[in-house]
Amino acid sequence: MPAHRSRMAFEPMSPGLNINAIVDSTPNFEFAMRITCDSVDQFPLADFEKLVLYQVILSGKPLVIEGFQTHLDQELFSEKWLQEKYASKVEIVRDLMKKKNASFSMGHYLQNLPLLARQMTTHNYHHKDRQRLYMKDIDCPPEWHQYIENIIPPSLFYLNETPKDFTGPASGKTNLAGIPRTADQQLIAPTGDLMSSLPPNMRAENLMCYIGHEGTYTPAHQEMCASLGHNLMVDASIQGQENGQETTEGSSLWLMTGTKDRHVVAEYWLSVLGHDIDIEDFFAPLHAWQIAPFTTYVVEQKPGDLILVPPLAAHQVWNRGSRTMKVAWNRTTVDTLELALNEALPHARMVCRDEQYKNKAIVFFTLERYSKLLQRTKKVKHPVVDRLWVDFKRLFNLYKNILLSESFSNKKPEKSVEFTEYQSNVTCSFCRCNIFNRFLTCNGCADVKHAGEDLGPYDVCMDCYAMGRSCACVSKLQWVEQFPIKQLTERYDSWRRLIISSNEDDTEIKQKFPTFVVARGQAGKKSIAEICQEQLARRPWNDPKNSHPVGKPPRRQSKKGCVPDDEDDDDNENANGTPRKKRKIRPSLSKNPESTNRCHVCLHHDVNWKLASCSNCDQRYCYGSLYRAFEILPHEAMEKHHWLCPKCRKVCSCGACQHDPNMKPYEPNCTVLGHDTSTVADPRSIESLVDFRKSNLWWLKKFRGDDVHGRIEKRQREAQQAELERHIKLEAQGFKFETSPFDQSNQHVQNGLENGHDADVLVDPSLLEGLPMVMA
């Protein structure tokens, strides 16, 4: 049986919590940076955008902009207005304690908020029978949407496509006239939210409202697909009376981390708290944050506070008082797309979390839009245009990697590929991620029903199939593509020519952006599509009518459980009634020894297609041992043209190899608790290579015992090294520093420093030269 780690229990926060005293007394707690709308209004919008770029994206720290309540219509953004306008509208309310949804009318819920809040006192707030009903993820009223869009700086707002006029902070110093335009007067500038590049019917609706009361909360999580989070509190209850009911002051308490600490946070959540941050189902107790080995940024959000959440920064929210009302949205940028495709989506795939943002499609459609703009302004010299070129080149590199992953083998191109036009609605039946182009489908499972429901064809993404995830048929799946591959490669060539034509004097540009044929040669490994081709040919087809798993002997039920068919369970006791020792029988070996081998690590025999074979020796490793002992996913071994096993690389950690003095056994870097995806994946799904429900705790204890702190310290060192390498890479890409008006000479900052509030510092003091700006 796999080892299991205890899980920390949910502990609510007291209504009488003094967060200021806690921050003052906790070394790793600090208030997040705050600036005011008034300070933003003193300078051009471009300077504010530089601050957001450095603080939130490059530094990965939260930023709070306070004072928006003076820009909001107090009558429109109120509980009274919602009662008058939407009292009869039925919304879904989440019962946080029962983990169930219920339907309430808006009027009924708002009317009972003070009653729900009063049940929480300093004496009984920890009782499990307290109702915590949270109206979350509801559609934002269109009246609110329109109003907020007019006061928020456009580059920060939901679905922003281009700079435009607005009335909020820094609007008086916005110079749209200086931005270059196309012949049809379209502004040539980067897009604030790349989701706007998608056709309207493909966009994700993520402008949401959250209405809560004392004791409601959002568990610790990261924003979906590494996007940038934005949360504006538009209204909260006051201390006193409202509509004849006693109310207490409303606010929301945020605990947040920085982007650079994401790996340390993940390991802490797994190894210490016993939860997975990617699952998003655990609200960590306050004391768990206080002893955490990373900085926690604290915000007490009140009406008018706009919080900007960095990508991949874990955060959780606790609502206080009789009522809180917030509007939240997410934005996708080039920076978030890079993080999404490289980190967030692989993690989401492991836990089968929906990918609503269609990241690969955003890359494709943004390149389409940007190329049309840039074709009209090749020779224009302007900082905004320079930024557009930098973003275009970064997007092009992302597209190159996407196209490389879609490429079939040159030696064995697929001749039978079904075509279905891209509509953005194809998702993987296993991991539920969005599929951009090629995937595999099993028409043989189309007629299978579950609980009387017709499930339709079984579609699986290439990444899942490479990991051994599929329907029970395992093989004989059909290739499908949503774009003609010729169309995609032609786009690559045209966008590459556009980049080269804009850099006529740069002799290295052709090397940085090679032709697709050259790029394939430079990849040095098999594409994920090529891996799937090989595995389709290697894995046997399993008749879906056959109930036993592929590659394993048939099993039948006995009174004592499930046993192999060749074991005799009718005579399993001695004459005196004691259990009889059974001889180990390997029927699969005796029947077909050429098709099976033994794993070098776990010593279990298995069919060859479930084993990774070394190119240098005769050793084989099962993919489960590779994953848990060496942190090697199946596709990471399959993509190598010549794969060397851990023994040949002198890192094998099995019992036999540890006697070799030249061996330096591999020590797993992070904790894996295992994921049971049966509740979210298509019911026809199986895992034929790795049982991802199993943890790697045995391997961790083998090296360090239960030295959790040692593993976390190791992750911290890795995070520091990664951050150093990222800064070097940014400098190589052309990020330079200029003096910013948001510095210590600002009176607001001076007041904060004099009062001892480091959180009021508008710019990191270590940046002696100010904030970065992208230069071409």
Side-chain angles (χ1 to χ4, degrees):
M1 293 294 291
H4 294 284
R5 181 171 291 277
S6 60
R7 292 159 61 92
M8 183 171 284
F10 166 73
E11 293 182 21
M13 291 187 176
S14 170
L17 183 70
N18 185 339
I19 191 59
N20 291 321
I22 289 175
V23 173
D24 289 341
S25 61
T26 307
N28 66 316
F29 274 24
E30 64 179 69
F31 285 110
M33 177 189 294
R34 279 183 175 267
I35 61 174
T36 66
C37 286
D38 290 340
S39 65
V40 174
D41 214 16
Q42 296 176 21
F43 306 102
L45 181 61
D47 291 307
F48 170 68
E49 292 176 343
K50 293 177 191 177
L51 174 64
V52 173
L53 172 66
Y54 172 75
Q55 175 68 13
V56 183
I57 299 176
L58 299 183
S59 295
K61 300 177 183 178
L63 176 66
V64 184
I65 308 158
E66 62 182 38
F68 274 102
Q69 72 273 15
T70 61
H71 296 269
L72 294 171
D73 184 334
Q74 300 301 318
E75 293 185 3
L76 176 63
F77 294 93
S78 67
E79 177 263 349
K80 181 180 179 181
W81 182 88
L82 280 179
Q83 286 274 26
E84 294 174 352
K85 186 74 174 179
Y86 293 100
S88 61
K89 186 179 181 183
V90 177
E91 298 284 5
I92 299 298
V93 174
R94 182 68 173 175
D95 188 327
L96 297 174
M97 301 310 294
K98 296 181 179 179
K99 296 187 177 181
K100 294 182 179 179
N101 292 332
S103 297
F104 288 86
S105 68
M106 179 74 75
H108 178 73
Y109 180 75
L110 291 174
Q111 185 177 356
N112 286 279
L113 279 177
L115 179 62
L116 289 168
R118 282 199 297 272
Q119 67 173 329
M120 307 287 179
T121 69
T122 54
H123 303 290
N124 69 1
Y125 69 93
H126 56 279
H127 290 178
K128 294 182 179 180
D129 61 348
R130 301 296 90 178
Q131 275 189 303
R132 305 178 191 275
L133 304 179
Y134 198 4
M135 185 175 283
K136 57 184 300 188
D137 296 324
I138 65 173
D139 292 336
C140 178
E143 297 89 344
W144 287 12
H145 181 173
Q146 183 178 0
Y147 194 100
I148 295 175
E149 184 175 14
N150 192 45
I151 64 170
I152 297 291
S155 61
L156 297 187
F157 197 62
Y158 171 64
L159 289 181
N160 169 258
E161 185 175 359
T162 186
K164 59 184 178 181
D165 291 319
F166 68 110
T167 61
S171 59
K173 295 181 172 62
T174 302
N175 183 19
L176 294 182
I179 300 178
R181 298 173 183 262
T182 63
D184 57 355
Q185 296 303 302
Q186 186 178 1
L187 290 172
I188 304 172
T191 296
D193 182 5
L194 297 184
M195 181 73 72
S196 64
S197 299
L198 294 177
N201 63 317
M202 297 183 187
R203 298 169 183 171
E205 296 291 335
N206 63 37
L207 183 67
M208 300 294 180
C209 285
Y210 297 78
I211 304 176
H213 60 84
E214 177 74 53
T216 56
Y217 60 88
T218 298
H221 67 288
Q222 299 165 331
E223 293 300 318
M224 181 178 288
C225 300
S227 58
L228 290 163
H230 309 72
N231 191 293
L232 175 64
M233 182 172 284
V234 296
D235 178 64
S237 55
I238 62 171
Q239 186 73 35
Q241 278 201 347
E242 293 183 357
N243 302 322
Q245 298 189 70
E246 289 291 334
T247 57
T248 56
E249 183 181 6
S251 65
S252 291
L253 183 61
W254 291 62
L255 301 176
M256 293 184 278
T257 66
T259 302
K260 71 178 180 64
D261 290 326
R262 59 190 181 277
H263 301 303
V264 179
V265 172
E267 178 61 31
Y268 179 73
W269 240 251
L270 287 165
S271 60
V272 178
L273 308 187
H275 296 267
D276 194 325
I277 194 71
D278 292 318
I279 301 294
E280 303 185 4
D281 65 349
F282 178 61
F283 184 92
L286 184 62
H287 65 84
W289 291 86
Q290 290 178 292
I291 63 173
F294 46 79
T295 300
T296 295
Y297 301 97
V298 180
V299 176
E300 185 168 16
Q301 185 187 25
K302 296 185 177 182
D305 287 350
L306 172 63
I307 300 177
L308 306 185
V309 183
L312 293 181
H315 56 285
Q316 65 182 34
V317 187
W318 185 267
N319 296 316
R320 313 178 75 183
S322 300
R323 182 184 70 257
T324 60
M325 296 167 56
K326 292 167 281 189
V327 176
W329 63 95
N330 293 73
R331 284 191 303 122
T332 299
T333 68
V334 179
D335 299 273
T336 69
L337 283 173
E338 290 175 342
L339 286 172
L341 295 175
N342 295 328
E343 290 190 39
L345 288 183
H347 291 168
R349 184 172 293 110
M350 294 299 295
V351 299
C352 298
R353 183 186 179 191
D354 285 344
E355 183 207 346
Q356 299 178 6
Y357 290 2
K358 307 175 179 66
N359 290 273
K360 292 182 179 180
I362 291 176
V363 172
F364 177 78
F365 284 100
T366 303
L367 283 168
E368 287 267 61
R369 178 179 178 271
Y370 279 6
S371 64
K372 293 175 182 178
L373 289 176
L374 293 171
Q375 284 172 356
R376 308 176 192 181
T377 179
K378 292 181 182 179
K379 306 300 181 182
V380 174
K381 295 297 181 183
H382 190 280
V384 173
V385 178
D386 293 341
R387 285 176 50 202
L388 188 62
W389 274 112
V390 171
D391 285 355
F392 184 78
K393 293 171 184 176
R394 294 170 68 187
L395 287 166
F396 179 80
N397 281 327
L398 291 178
Y399 180 71
K400 178 187 70 175
N401 294 332
I402 294 170
L403 200 54
L404 286 172
S405 71
E406 301 269 353
S407 301
F408 288 139
S409 170
N410 287 326
K411 297 179 180 179
K412 296 181 180 179
E414 291 292 331
K415 297 179 180 179
S416 177
V417 180
E418 181 184 340
F419 175 77
T420 178
E421 188 175 357
Y422 183 75
Q423 300 293 330
S424 82
N425 57 358
V426 178
T427 58
C428 178
S429 296
F430 200 112
C431 72
R432 299 157 61 189
C433 285
N434 184 259
I435 299 175
F436 172 63
N437 185 30
R438 285 176 170 164
F439 62 96
L440 293 162
T441 187
C442 181
N443 295 318
C445 290
D447 298 330
V448 177
K449 293 186 177 181
H450 179 73
E453 180 184 357
D454 186 4
L455 300 176
Y458 188 95
D459 301 327
V460 62
C461 68
M462 296 184 292
D463 297 273
C464 276
Y465 190 74
M467 287 195 293
R469 293 170 161 182
S470 67
C471 60
C473 297
V474 178
S475 192
K476 289 189 178 180
L477 279 71
Q478 171 66 37
W479 281 104
V480 185
E481 65 182 14
Q482 302 174 82
F483 291 92
I485 195 64
K486 184 178 180 181
Q487 175 187 345
L488 297 180
T489 53
E490 286 177 349
R491 290 289 194 281
Y492 180 95
D493 293 336
S494 64
W495 294 333
R496 175 181 176 271
R497 287 193 298 268
L498 179 61
I499 293 174
I500 293 175
S501 66
S502 67
N503 295 267
E504 295 177 353
D505 298 331
D506 191 344
T507 57
E508 299 180 359
I509 196 68
K510 293 184 179 180
Q511 295 179 350
K512 292 180 180 179
F513 301 95
T515 64
F516 187 66
V517 173
V518 173
R520 286 197 65 180
Q522 292 174 345
K525 61 183 180 180
K526 302 171 189 175
S527 69
I528 198 71
E530 192 173 351
I531 291 173
C532 290
Q533 285 182 286
E534 292 181 351
Q535 294 302 309
L536 280 170
R538 190 180 186 195
R539 299 175 190 177
W541 176 69
N542 184 43
D543 187 346
K545 298 178 182 179
N546 190 352
S547 59
H548 67 81
V550 176
K552 292 186 178 180
R555 303 176 75 86
R556 57 187 173 86
Q557 287 295 122
S558 72
K559 293 180 181 180
K560 294 185 180 295
C562 192
V563 296
D565 271 352
D566 358 25
E567 284 189 14
D568 184 5
D569 63 337
D570 295 329
D571 187 19
N572 55 9
E573 292 183 353
N574 294 315
N576 60 2
T578 59
R580 175 176 295 173
K581 187 176 181 180
K582 295 182 179 181
R583 180 173 57 88
K584 293 183 179 179
I585 300 176
R586 297 190 180 95
S588 59
L589 291 182
S590 60
K591 293 178 182 178
N592 190 4
E594 292 83 9
S595 66
T596 63
N597 270 285
R598 190 175 66 175
C599 172
H600 177 72
V601 176
C602 69
L603 304 181
H604 288 121
H605 281 77
D606 218 330
V607 288
N608 285 334
W609 64 271
K610 292 188 176 185
L611 301 170
S613 178
C614 180
S615 300
N616 187 56
C617 68
D618 59 351
Q619 299 297 339
R620 288 174 172 82
Y621 287 68
C622 73
Y623 290 104
S625 294
L626 286 178
Y627 175 61
R628 284 180 283 275
F630 304 99
E631 297 178 321
I632 299 175
L633 284 166
H635 74 270
E636 294 173 343
M638 297 172 183
E639 69 186 7
K640 303 288 194 305
H641 291 288
H642 301 283
W643 181 70
L644 293 180
C645 68
K647 182 180 179 181
C648 290
R649 290 188 285 116
K650 299 297 181 182
V651 295
C652 188
S653 51
C654 75
C657 287
Q658 285 186 342
H659 298 294
D660 184 348
N662 297 320
M663 198 71 63
K664 294 183 179 180
Y666 181 85
E667 178 184 346
N669 286 307
C670 57
T671 305
V672 175
L673 293 180
H675 303 290
D676 184 1
T677 58
S678 60
T679 57
V680 287
D682 188 294
R684 297 167 290 183
S685 301
I686 66 167
E687 292 176 333
S688 59
L689 293 184
V690 180
D691 185 352
F692 288 103
R693 295 172 299 177
K694 295 182 179 179
S695 75
N696 70 341
L697 296 181
W698 186 89
W699 289 99
L700 292 174
K701 291 182 178 180
K702 179 178 180 179
F703 289 96
R704 289 181 175 263
D706 209 20
D707 183 14
V708 174
H709 297 291
R711 289 198 297 274
I712 291 177
E713 288 176 358
K714 184 178 180 181
R715 299 296 278 178
Q716 287 176 314
R717 291 193 297 270
E718 292 173 350
Q720 292 171 355
Q721 180 63 29
E723 188 68 6
L724 177 61
E725 292 174 357
R726 190 176 71 91
H727 281 295
I728 295 174
K729 183 178 179 181
L730 287 173
E731 291 180 0
Q733 289 177 350
F735 284 90
K736 298 181 181 179
F737 295 86
E738 296 181 350
T739 302
S740 167
F742 291 92
D743 58 19
Q744 286 80 355
S745 63
N746 186 290
Q747 187 61 42
H748 175 72
V749 180
Q750 287 296 331
N751 292 339
L753 292 175
E754 291 169 2
N755 294 329
H757 299 300
D758 292 340
D760 286 336
V761 178
L762 294 177
V763 174
D764 190 332
S766 64
L767 291 180
L768 302 179
E769 296 184 82
L771 298 170
M773 179 177 179
V774 179
M775 303 297 290

